[in-house]
Short mmCIF file of all heavy atoms in Angstrom, two decimals:
data_model
loop_
_atom_site.label_atom_id
_atom_site.label_comp_id
_atom_site.label_asym_id
_atom_site.label_seq_id
_atom_site.Cartn_x
_atom_site.Cartn_y
_atom_site.Cartn_z
N PRO X 115 10.63 -4.14 11.65
CA PRO X 115 9.34 -4.79 11.83
C PRO X 115 8.46 -4.62 10.60
O PRO X 115 8.69 -3.74 9.78
CB PRO X 115 8.74 -4.05 13.02
CG PRO X 115 9.30 -2.68 12.92
CD PRO X 115 10.67 -2.84 12.32
N SER X 116 7.46 -5.48 10.49
CA SER X 116 6.47 -5.36 9.43
C SER X 116 5.18 -6.02 9.90
O SER X 116 5.19 -6.81 10.84
CB SER X 116 6.97 -6.03 8.15
OG SER X 116 7.12 -7.42 8.34
N PHE X 117 4.09 -5.63 9.25
CA PHE X 117 2.81 -6.29 9.53
C PHE X 117 1.90 -6.14 8.33
O PHE X 117 2.10 -5.27 7.48
CB PHE X 117 2.14 -5.74 10.80
CG PHE X 117 1.62 -4.34 10.70
CD1 PHE X 117 0.35 -4.08 10.19
CD2 PHE X 117 2.39 -3.27 11.13
CE1 PHE X 117 -0.14 -2.79 10.10
CE2 PHE X 117 1.92 -1.97 11.04
CZ PHE X 117 0.65 -1.73 10.53
N VAL X 118 0.90 -7.02 8.25
CA VAL X 118 -0.15 -6.94 7.24
C VAL X 118 -1.48 -6.87 7.96
O VAL X 118 -1.72 -7.60 8.93
CB VAL X 118 -0.12 -8.17 6.31
CG1 VAL X 118 -1.30 -8.14 5.34
CG2 VAL X 118 1.20 -8.25 5.55
N ALA X 119 -2.34 -5.97 7.50
CA ALA X 119 -3.68 -5.81 8.06
C ALA X 119 -4.70 -5.94 6.94
O ALA X 119 -4.48 -5.43 5.84
CB ALA X 119 -3.81 -4.44 8.74
N LEU X 120 -5.80 -6.65 7.23
CA LEU X 120 -6.87 -6.82 6.25
C LEU X 120 -8.13 -6.13 6.75
O LEU X 120 -8.51 -6.27 7.91
CB LEU X 120 -7.17 -8.30 6.03
CG LEU X 120 -6.05 -9.14 5.44
CD1 LEU X 120 -6.49 -10.61 5.36
CD2 LEU X 120 -5.66 -8.63 4.07
N THR X 121 -8.79 -5.41 5.85
CA THR X 121 -10.05 -4.77 6.20
C THR X 121 -11.19 -5.77 5.99
O THR X 121 -11.03 -6.77 5.30
CB THR X 121 -10.30 -3.53 5.32
OG1 THR X 121 -10.51 -3.96 3.97
CG2 THR X 121 -9.13 -2.55 5.39
N SER X 122 -12.34 -5.46 6.54
CA SER X 122 -13.49 -6.36 6.41
C SER X 122 -13.99 -6.45 4.97
O SER X 122 -14.64 -7.41 4.60
CB SER X 122 -14.63 -5.92 7.34
OG SER X 122 -15.07 -4.62 6.96
N ASP X 123 -13.66 -5.45 4.13
CA ASP X 123 -14.09 -5.48 2.74
C ASP X 123 -13.01 -5.98 1.78
O ASP X 123 -13.11 -5.81 0.57
CB ASP X 123 -14.65 -4.12 2.29
CG ASP X 123 -13.69 -2.96 2.50
OD1 ASP X 123 -12.59 -3.17 3.07
OD2 ASP X 123 -14.02 -1.84 2.08
N GLY X 124 -11.97 -6.64 2.33
CA GLY X 124 -11.00 -7.33 1.49
C GLY X 124 -9.78 -6.55 1.06
O GLY X 124 -8.96 -7.06 0.30
N TYR X 125 -9.61 -5.34 1.53
CA TYR X 125 -8.40 -4.56 1.22
C TYR X 125 -7.30 -4.95 2.18
O TYR X 125 -7.55 -5.43 3.30
CB TYR X 125 -8.67 -3.06 1.36
CG TYR X 125 -9.50 -2.50 0.22
CD1 TYR X 125 -10.87 -2.66 0.19
CD2 TYR X 125 -8.89 -1.81 -0.82
CE1 TYR X 125 -11.63 -2.15 -0.84
CE2 TYR X 125 -9.64 -1.28 -1.86
CZ TYR X 125 -11.01 -1.47 -1.87
OH TYR X 125 -11.76 -0.97 -2.90
N SER X 126 -6.05 -4.74 1.77
CA SER X 126 -4.93 -5.04 2.64
C SER X 126 -3.98 -3.86 2.73
O SER X 126 -3.85 -3.06 1.81
CB SER X 126 -4.17 -6.27 2.13
OG SER X 126 -3.64 -6.02 0.84
N LEU X 127 -3.33 -3.75 3.88
CA LEU X 127 -2.29 -2.76 4.14
C LEU X 127 -1.07 -3.51 4.66
O LEU X 127 -1.21 -4.41 5.49
CB LEU X 127 -2.72 -1.76 5.21
CG LEU X 127 -3.73 -0.71 4.84
CD1 LEU X 127 -4.26 -0.01 6.08
CD2 LEU X 127 -3.11 0.31 3.90
#
Side-chain angles (χ1 to χ4, degrees):
S116 64
F117 69 86
V118 175
L120 297 177
T121 67
S122 62
D123 55 355
Y125 285 80
S126 62
L127 286 168

